[in-house]
Amino acid sequence: VEGLSAAVGIGGRIYVDAEAKDCEVMKLIRQAIYRLVSCQVIQLSQVGRWMLEIDLYLGDWSAIERDALDILRLDGQHIFANTVMGKVCIRRGDYLGSERYLRRALVSGSSDDPEVLNGLAFVLASTGHPLDAVRLSRPLSLAYPDNWEFHETLALALIRSGELEEGGHTLRAA
């Protein structure tokens, strides 16, 4: 990509210099990737995760959803696109949609991904299945003691399951 030193195409891959991660450069990289895909220089399946990572970095939720759905149209089992769509659905309050995408991500090979498990635990706690949520979130909270999101999800699940004291303690610890 001419004039864009942060992105280098090698064998259909895109590499980004870690120091180049500012919004303007990331937008340029995203535009370059779109052009390369639209000109069929590279396949969306090769750079789908990069596109979603850039969209997430920029916080562009409309692009995040659009790109994730485009990727899933090509590969319905794409782990990261399913994970991202799970997050998109949570933001919209569509917990059933989120559960579907997150479960698909788990089945597709991400069965031990803590972010996916935590997202599913949050959805289960929010949809009336707090005991299932506790079973998923407690090991995460123990394994990742510095991750406040995992503690927060466990607290929500505990409170919704009637364990108010433990839930309150867990929430204060978060």
Side-chain angles (χ1 to χ4, degrees), residues 98-138:
S98 179
E99 182 177 359
R100 182 172 41 103
Y101 286 113
L102 293 172
R103 286 191 185 280
R104 192 180 302 156
L106 290 171
V107 169
S108 296
S110 190
S111 61
D112 60 349
D113 184 304
E115 296 294 329
V116 176
L117 292 169
N118 188 61
L120 183 57
F122 175 81
V123 167
L124 292 171
S126 300
T127 58
H129 304 281
L131 295 177
D132 293 331
V134 169
R135 274 194 294 279
L136 283 177
S137 59
R138 189 182 304 277

Side-chain angles (χ1 to χ4, degrees), residues 121-122 124-125 129-141 153-163 166:
F122 175 81
L124 292 171
H129 304 281
L131 295 177
D132 293 331
V134 169
R135 274 194 294 279
L136 283 177
S137 59
R138 189 182 304 277
L140 294 174
S141 185
T153 301
L154 176 58
L156 172 68
L158 288 166
I159 290 168
R160 294 222 168 137
S161 69
E163 298 294 330
E166 186 181 357

Side-chain angles (χ1 to χ4, degrees), residues 37 43-46 48 67-78:
V37 170
Q43 299 296 314
L44 181 60
S45 60
Q46 294 173 299
D67 291 342
L69 289 173
D70 284 348
I71 293 164
L72 289 171
R73 275 193 273 292
L74 295 173
D75 177 6
Q77 302 306 308
H78 193 281

Side-chain angles (χ1 to χ4, degrees), residues 143-173:
Y144 301 92
D146 295 333
N147 189 314
W148 64 268
E149 289 182 50
F150 295 171
H151 296 301
E152 194 174 72
T153 301
L154 176 58
L156 172 68
L158 288 166
I159 290 168
R160 294 222 168 137
S161 69
E163 298 294 330
L164 301 179
E165 189 173 328
E166 186 181 357
H169 175 71
T170 301
L171 191 57
R172 283 188 294 280

